[in-house]
Amino acid sequence: MRILLVASAFNSLTQRVHTELREHGHRVGVELALGDDLLRARVSHFQPDLILAPMLTSAIPEDIWTRYPVLIVHPGPKGDRGPSSLDWAIREGATEWGVTVLQAVAEMDAGPIWASEPFPVAVCGKSELYRNEVADAALRAVLLAVERFADSGFMPEPLDYSRPDVRGQLRPYHAQEYRRIDWSADDTATVLRRLRAADSQPGVLDELFGRQYFLHGGHNEDRLRGFPGSVIATRDGAICRATVDGAVWLPQLRPRRTPDGPATFKRPAVDELGPELLAGVPEVPVTPFEAATRDTWSELRYREHGEVGYLEFAFAGGAMSTDQCRRLLAAYRQAAQRPVAVLVLGPPRDFFSNGIHLNVIEAADDPAEESWHNINAMNDLVEAILTTTDKLVISALAGNAAAGGVMLALAADEVWCRESVVLNPHYRLMGLHGSEYWTYTLPRRVGTEMADRLTRETLPVGARRAAALGLADRVVPGSAEEFRAWVRGQAEALAAAPELADRLVAKKQRRAADEAAKPLSAYRDYELAQMRQNFYGENEPYHRLRRNFVHKVRPQVTPTHLLA
């Protein structure tokens, strides 16, 4: 079947739908919603059997949905309507929600229903929920809807609020008036729901030190207390703000844009506020070991179960700044010294890693210099993993990875993926050659020809195809929680296996042989020579592409690599 995906952005859900439909044998094209005339032209050229909109913030023109079947993916249960479905679900403390695939009609979100799938609402931010439970349910609903569309005898269900299973309602846009936090009255649970319902966009508009910011993120603090609304601590770039009955951590801030001012973007909260505003606010560190046993915010956690160590890291948006890379490297080195046989790397949910932190780089006084520091810090981390020969290292991907984040995963001995994972093993869309020892690890896994193809085609790769190519070693279905339990069982079985000692001997011998054939330093030097040119050379596209990415500049037309 010829299926055209129409989306406001080629986001995580659109990528996942794209990879799944291709794996099911469909001819899949993508058109970004950049204008009605452009969409009309693409539809006319592609001649789809079906148009599917996984993520759309604007309406499909009537002359298209009256001529072609158009199915819309709406992140709400049957009957739910409006642009802020997940925001309301989190704000109101819903424990179960749904995703509905419905046909486009004149009235928004009111068309006949082709499929609907429920999902549990995890206690987390909106974007994390979207990339996990929502995406899982959406994919089930999409595949069912496509299957039903292929069945000419299936008739979609008209929206009927008298039916007992239609429990949704029309809800207004979740404007800032609904998000406002009253620090003198709202308890911690209320504050966290408001913050999580706005994460990662649009944030909660609030005032700090007489200035207006959008607050991004929201994590509980179990010990620190202070005057409600005051900033009482910092930690690794985040600030801690007291509530009437506790405190919450805010990792990122975005200044409110003035009418005639430049566009703003999210930054680590401490970087945005600066040392003058935070004078006298203490830095309150927590070790990864301690964080694993507390209900507090930390990007790093370390725990052990028997002969297995688990180093968990969770960075907002999957981006890793120079400082974050260095902190993770320090934690990795400590973990590597522990008396464990197997070391598992990766967050329990959401992104594994997306590589260097473009927002922090954009905000730097010298973006080229900060880019250089960031890529070297990533390389130091990858090198430490590659040269660990006395432990079996596992990358456990519960969520997506891209660019240097994929190469970070490939530094491990084995890569285990949840079936929902999407990988983007390329750098070219940001105008970069790439580093993180990819010229060593990627061909070693998939061969030189496929490595060139993956980095040149710049298309997402689903987990099952990644395993077929050699990018991943094991792929399992299930939720993030089920994946985590599976990882623990498999890792502990590896640690107890009698052949582990032989595997470690073989690993050490292979690393020595590879080093003798071509030192790791040679791969690094070659890659960094290309990256230096990308960062410092004249007429290089990287700085423009980075700036457009950070400031969310929409392209004029759909990029050619998405055209089927």
Side-chain angles (χ1 to χ4, degrees):
M1 192 184 304
R2 296 175 66 84
I3 301 177
L4 180 64
L5 303 184
V6 178
S8 296
F10 197 51
N11 70 339
S12 59
L13 177 57
T14 307
Q15 290 183 30
R16 187 170 172 194
V17 171
H18 180 270
T19 59
E20 286 282 348
L21 291 177
R22 282 164 58 99
E23 288 182 9
H24 279 73
H26 299 290
R27 172 78 180 275
V28 183
V30 178
E31 178 68 15
L32 300 183
L34 301 173
D36 291 351
D37 288 341
L38 288 173
L39 180 55
R40 291 186 181 100
R42 183 68 192 287
V43 169
S44 176
H45 179 265
F46 191 78
Q47 289 294 303
D49 300 305
L50 174 66
I51 297 173
L52 183 65
M55 193 283 289
L56 196 61
T57 58
S58 57
I60 299 281
E62 182 178 1
D63 57 300
I64 292 179
W65 58 257
T66 54
R67 183 178 177 188
Y68 296 89
V70 177
L71 300 187
I72 308 294
V73 179
H74 176 72
K78 288 183 180 180
D80 180 85
R81 298 172 59 199
S84 305
S85 180
L86 294 179
D87 309 61
W88 286 109
I90 295 172
R91 174 193 167 89
E92 296 178 357
T95 57
E96 184 178 285
W97 208 241
V99 173
T100 303
V101 178
L102 44 87
Q103 192 157 345
V105 295
E107 194 172 357
M108 192 72 73
D109 302 330
I113 297 167
W114 284 80
S116 186
E117 289 285 331
F119 65 84
V121 179
V123 180
C124 63
K126 178 178 61 176
S127 58
E128 181 180 327
L129 181 70
Y130 181 84
R131 288 187 292 265
N132 287 273
E133 286 79 8
V134 176
D136 290 347
L139 189 70
R140 295 194 302 269
V142 164
L143 294 179
L144 179 57
V146 170
E147 179 184 329
R148 287 172 170 173
F149 178 78
D151 178 4
S152 58
F154 179 81
M155 294 296 294
E157 170 192 322
L159 178 60
D160 181 358
Y161 283 100
S162 68
R163 292 175 61 104
D165 62 335
V166 178
R167 299 189 297 271
Q169 59 182 286
L170 175 62
R171 298 172 185 268
Y173 172 66
H174 204 279
Q176 287 295 331
E177 63 184 283
Y178 301 112
R179 304 185 190 276
R180 188 180 68 85
I181 294 172
D182 184 346
W183 295 94
S184 66
D186 292 335
D187 61 13
T188 302
T190 299
V191 171
L192 286 173
R193 284 198 302 272
R194 302 277 170 88
L195 291 167
R196 288 166 176 164
D199 188 43
S200 64
Q201 291 295 337
V204 173
L205 184 61
D206 199 25
E207 186 174 294
L208 275 167
F209 303 106
R211 304 175 186 178
Q212 288 193 313
Y213 298 93
F214 290 94
L215 316 180
H216 293 274
H219 305 265
N220 189 58
E221 163 57 31
D222 55 1
R223 296 180 183 175
L224 300 174
R225 299 293 183 265
F227 184 79
S230 63
V231 177
I232 56 176
T234 64
R235 177 183 298 155
D236 296 338
I239 59 173
C240 186
R241 201 167 180 189
T243 64
V244 294
D245 62 344
V248 297
W249 287 94
L250 305 170
Q252 296 180 312
L253 299 177
R254 175 170 59 91
R256 185 179 190 180
R257 184 178 185 178
T258 58
D260 56 348
T264 63
F265 53 90
K266 289 180 284 187
R267 297 178 61 193
V270 170
D271 291 354
E272 182 60 50
L273 294 173
E276 290 187 9
L277 293 179
L278 293 173
V281 178
E283 174 81 4
V284 181
V286 64
T287 68
F289 240 129
E290 183 186 3
T293 64
R294 289 183 52 192
D295 184 14
T296 187
W297 178 80
S298 177
E299 293 171 321
L300 304 174
R301 283 177 161 78
Y302 179 78
R303 64 187 87 237
E304 291 179 359
H305 295 283
E307 291 292 306
V308 183
Y310 300 85
L311 179 55
E312 300 172 354
F313 46 91
F315 302 110
M320 300 168 60
S321 68
T322 302
D323 289 343
Q324 288 169 321
C325 289
R326 289 170 178 169
R327 288 196 293 268
L328 179 53
L329 174 58
Y332 178 84
R333 285 173 171 163
Q334 290 178 346
Q337 294 174 358
R338 297 289 302 169
V340 294
V342 176
L343 189 54
V344 179
L345 309 178
R349 294 169 53 90
D350 213 17
F351 288 121
F352 182 83
S353 171
N354 285 326
I356 60 177
H357 202 312
L358 300 179
N359 282 34
V360 170
I361 291 170
E362 180 68 15
D365 293 335
D366 187 339
E369 190 72 6
E370 180 56 33
S371 300
W372 183 251
H373 291 318
N374 203 164
I375 199 64
N376 274 280
M378 283 287 296
N379 281 349
D380 292 342
L381 174 60
V382 172
E383 181 182 9
I385 299 171
L386 287 171
T387 55
T388 300
T389 57
D390 62 338
K391 290 174 174 56
L392 199 65
V393 183
I394 308 296
S395 289
L397 278 67
N400 300 346
V406 176
M407 308 315 163
L408 173 63
L410 297 186
D413 300 298
E414 293 191 18
V415 177
W416 299 350
C417 291
R418 191 159 79 94
E419 193 176 48
S420 63
V421 163
V422 174
L423 304 177
N424 278 280
H426 49 78
Y427 302 83
R428 292 189 181 186
L429 296 180
M430 200 51 60
L432 296 173
H433 172 272
S435 193
E436 293 100 358
Y437 297 90
W438 79 264
T439 55
Y440 170 61
T441 57
L442 190 58
R444 182 178 62 167
R445 277 189 163 266
V446 304
T448 303
E449 183 178 345
M450 181 54 67
D452 177 69
R453 181 177 174 183
L454 288 171
T455 55
R456 178 169 36 85
E457 289 184 347
T458 62
L459 285 173
V461 178
R464 288 190 297 273
R465 181 166 180 256
L469 294 174
L471 276 174
D473 299 288
R474 305 192 199 185
V475 174
V476 293
S479 66
E481 289 69 26
E482 291 168 332
F483 177 72
R484 190 178 186 184
W486 176 86
V487 166
R488 179 172 174 178
Q490 294 297 307
E492 292 178 9
L494 279 179
E499 61 269 21
L500 178 62
D502 291 338
R503 285 194 65 176
L504 292 176
V505 170
K507 174 183 178 178
K508 186 174 294 187
Q509 292 172 342
R510 185 172 60 252
R511 175 83 284 279
D514 286 354
E515 187 69 15
K518 183 177 180 179
L520 283 177
S521 60
Y523 293 98
R524 179 169 180 155
D525 290 346
Y526 168 75
E527 293 169 1
L528 287 179
Q530 314 306 310
M531 295 291 276
R532 177 174 281 278
Q533 176 63 27
N534 296 152
F535 295 155
Y536 295 100
E538 295 184 5
N539 301 317
E540 289 285 331
Y542 161 67
H543 293 291
R544 172 180 54 83
L545 293 172
R546 183 200 67 246
R547 191 172 301 112
N548 289 347
F549 175 85
V550 170
H551 293 285
K552 296 179 170 53
V553 176
R554 287 160 59 88
Q556 297 298 308
V557 297
T558 300
T560 56
H561 71 279
L562 297 179
L563 304 179

